[in-house]
Structures are given as C-alpha cells and as structure tokens.
Amino acid sequence: MSLDPRRARLWQAMDLGPLWVERNAHAAADAATGIAPAPGAVRSESFDELGTRPAEGAARDAAPHRALPIALPAGLRVQLPAAGDARAVAIARMDWSELQKSVAACVACPLCKTRTQTVFGVGHRGARWMIVGEAPGAEEDARGEPFVGQAGRLLDNMLASIGLSRQGETDSSVYIANVLKCRPPGNRNPEPAEAAACEPYLRRQIALIRPALIVVMGRVAAQSLLATDATIASLRGRVHTIVVDELAIPVVVTYHPAYLLRNLADKAKSWTDLCFAREVYARAALAG
Ligand code: URA
C-alpha cells in the first residue's frame, strides 16, 4: 500500500517514520511466536503503514457517546466536593456558560494577578476524546486558547496521526483543557494549591463533556488529575480511571508535547501511547 503524502508529512513532523517499520516487525514477531504480551503491557496491533486499523481508525468507529462500563478498582477514591466546600459544590452545578464566566472572573489563587486572560478550553463539547494538559504558556495566555504554541502544533500533529482534531464536532473532534486555567509566571510548574483551586473547573468540564477517554499529557497533569505522585514511566501503558459524576472514565497517560520537543527519542514512546489510547478507545466502542 502506498503512503498517503499528507499522513507521511505527519509522520515526519513527529519523527515517526522509522518506528513504523519496527512496530510492524514486532506485530509480525508476535504473530509468528504466538506469545501473548504481558497483561497490561503496551503492545502494537496490526495497523497498516498508514497507522490505521484495517477497518479504519477507532476514532471514526460508530459508538454511543458514553464512557467505558469498567469496574472500579478496589479502593479507588471517588472525589466529590466536600459539603462544606461551597465553591466546589457551586461549580459542580454550573452549565457551560456559567462555568466559562466563572473561570474568566476567577480570583481563587494568585495566578489571577499575573495572567493576561484565562484559558478555558477548546474543541467539541460533546467530544469522545478529551486531552488534558498542564497549564497555559505565554502564547496561550496571549491568545486565550490551550496548546497554540510550538507544543500545541506538535499536539495537533500527534492527534492528526490517529485521525483526531481540535476542529469540528464529529466523533474525531477532541476537547482540550488544562489542569490550570491561568499561566504560571515563567511557565513554572503549578503549585499544588493552584491545582487544587482550579480542580473543580476541570472536573466540571469533564462532567459536562462525559468523554469516553481522557489522554493526559505530561507528568504534572497526570499527577494532578490522578492524585498521585507516581512517575510518568510508571503511569504510562496502563488504563487509569477517574470517577466524575458517578461516571468511570478511562485515562491514558503520555508525555507532554513540550517535553517531546526537547527529547525527540521519546516521540516513539509517545506514539506507542497514542496507539494504546486508540486500543482503549476501541474497546470502549466495542463495549458500547
Ligand atoms: N502546555 C500545556 O500543558 N498546556 C497548554 O495549553 C500549553 C502548553
């Protein structure tokens, strides 16, 4: 099969060309040996050289818009706003318009003093895929949209490589939001208190969207969303679960695009994560 030139440019943008050969080789080896991968291991499937399943990308599979009916792991903490936390309780009841106004006027942490504007989120409010990043950078702070700088361009290419986009309102359209809605000065990591103050907003966005899958970009966002201090290495390649409004939503973790711009070799691992996310999503579609 010949390589679609548009898709080829995307592979190039992600430095993924050579990896594909390697992945096919692994798939062939799996088939030849009949050895099943370890449970939970990240593995490739038999995608063709365009990176699509024989029956086309999972993102385009017809499936009802709902989350995986997965069993909650024992001991999973269901985070609900404490009854005494009036602000979080109020946010948990907001509609999109109220939420957007509340974020724009937020003074819950000191970042309100240094921001140019809040960065709410972008994309399809009925999205089946949700992407969660860390915090706005300088360009996002200036433009009011997440992931519009260099890292954002890489993110768009990563999404396109698995048939997704921040544009439109189809099953392939994602919603993108950050853990923090305001830029930390100098692009420093979010302080735990800042993430805690912003958490009700992200939770409400997730509750309103009810995505079938969340892909978290980077250690800081993953640790914050999953309430863990585990390393990104240990978080990758597994399906995590968060519970929002009694909905168990699968979460897959990968590297942050800004990290990938500095560590080109890890783009290969991130591609593995995206394929894994697509598998998890496809399982959700089948279960639906
Ligand atoms: N990095 C993020 O995590 N989010 C953005 O919106 C931009 C850069």
Side-chain angles (χ1 to χ4, degrees):
M1 191 186 288
S2 63
L3 190 61
D4 168 11
R6 193 181 140 269
R7 198 62 77 101
R9 278 196 299 278
L10 294 172
W11 295 122
Q12 210 173 11
M14 285 188 70
D15 286 344
L16 288 173
L19 179 69
W20 174 239
V21 176
E22 213 182 307
R23 289 175 55 76
N24 262 342
H26 285 316
D30 275 357
T33 59
I35 298 172
V42 177
R43 66 179 297 272
S44 60
E45 279 194 349
S46 184
F47 297 102
D48 66 21
E49 68 262 39
L50 300 183
T52 51
R53 291 168 190 281
E56 260 307 311
R60 286 178 292 281
D61 290 345
H65 174 210
R66 63 186 181 83
L68 269 177
I70 43 183
L72 297 188
L76 185 81
R77 191 164 56 98
V78 178
Q79 295 170 355
L80 294 173
D85 187 346
R87 175 175 168 268
V89 170
I91 291 171
R93 292 189 183 131
M94 289 178 180
D95 64 18
W96 276 111
S97 157
E98 292 164 334
L99 188 64
Q100 200 152 4
K101 281 187 203 140
S102 177
V103 167
C106 183
V107 290
C109 86
L111 295 181
C112 64
K113 297 190 193 121
T114 49
R115 73 183 179 220
T116 304
Q117 60 189 310
T118 55
V119 178
F120 183 70
V122 70
H124 183 18
R125 290 179 174 180
R128 307 180 72 201
W129 290 68
M130 182 166 179
I131 310 297
V132 175
E134 182 181 319
E139 288 193 58
E140 289 77 20
D141 175 69
R143 288 175 49 187
E145 180 173 331
F147 283 104
V148 288
Q150 212 191 346
R153 285 187 286 281
L154 176 57
L155 174 61
D156 285 340
N157 284 340
M158 292 165 74
L159 294 174
S161 74
I162 53 166
L164 303 175
S165 162
R166 70 171 78 194
Q167 308 294 339
E169 294 195 350
T170 70
D171 285 355
S172 306
S173 306
V174 303
Y175 190 89
I176 307 175
N178 286 311
V179 167
L180 290 194
K181 309 303 185 216
C182 296
R183 181 192 181 207
N187 295 348
R188 63 161 169 74
N189 286 344
E191 298 287 347
E194 293 160 357
C198 236
E199 186 194 346
Y201 291 135
L202 180 62
R203 292 188 73 77
R204 188 59 187 149
Q205 285 175 306
I206 296 170
L208 287 167
I209 294 166
R210 299 172 70 83
L213 177 68
I214 297 177
V215 179
V216 196
M217 319 295 298
R219 176 186 61 83
V220 174
Q223 289 181 340
S224 175
L225 191 71
L226 299 172
T228 177
D229 57 4
T231 63
I232 189 150
S234 67
L235 294 173
R236 289 181 53 245
R238 294 162 46 201
V239 184
H240 307 271
T241 308
I242 62 162
V243 181
V244 177
D245 273 9
E246 296 179 8
L247 191 69
I249 303 174
V251 177
V252 169
V253 175
T254 190
Y255 293 109
H256 193 285
Y259 167 86
L260 294 175
L261 289 169
R262 298 188 306 270
N263 299 273
L264 299 184
D266 281 341
K267 283 186 176 178
K269 293 188 197 162
S270 191
W271 168 241
T272 306
D273 297 337
L274 293 180
C275 292
F276 179 57
R278 195 162 59 167
E279 279 178 35
V280 174
Y281 179 88
R283 265 185 255 149
L286 276 179

